[in-house]
Amino acid sequence: SAMALGQEELRLGAEKLFELYSTWSTEEGYDLPFLAANVTILSSKELGIPKDFRIIDSAGLRIGVTAVIGKSK
């Protein structure tokens, strides 16, 4: 699984998104990364949030998942 960042999440602001991810990612069994290939939080991809993509193995297949934020209509 993964969660694509969208307009609503970005309205929370970089600090809040990082705080949420930092809190959730330390919980046991947490495995739901934020995805957005064209977004950088706190000016650094080195933080690992959001990830550009995720590879999911399912039924013998490797499936690439990504998200891209664009302008809303």
Side-chain angles (χ1 to χ4, degrees):
S1 298
M3 183 174 97
L5 293 180
Q7 297 297 329
E8 295 298 318
E9 290 79 22
L10 293 178
R11 286 187 187 125
L12 294 173
E15 289 84 10
K16 185 64 176 178
L17 281 173
F18 186 73
E19 175 189 330
L20 289 171
Y21 181 77
S22 297
T23 300
W24 294 340
S25 65
T26 59
E27 294 178 9
E28 187 175 332
Y30 177 85
D31 189 25
L32 186 69
F34 294 164
L35 297 181
N38 63 337
V39 172
T40 301
I41 302 251
L42 300 175
S43 301
S44 176
K45 281 287 193 182
E46 308 263 329
L47 296 173
I49 170 181
K51 295 190 179 294
D52 290 340
F53 64 92
R54 176 151 195 196
I55 303 294
I56 299 172
D57 293 309
S58 179
L61 298 173
R62 292 177 50 86
I63 303 165
V65 180
T66 191
V68 177
I69 295 179
K71 293 182 180 180
S72 53
K73 294 182 179 185

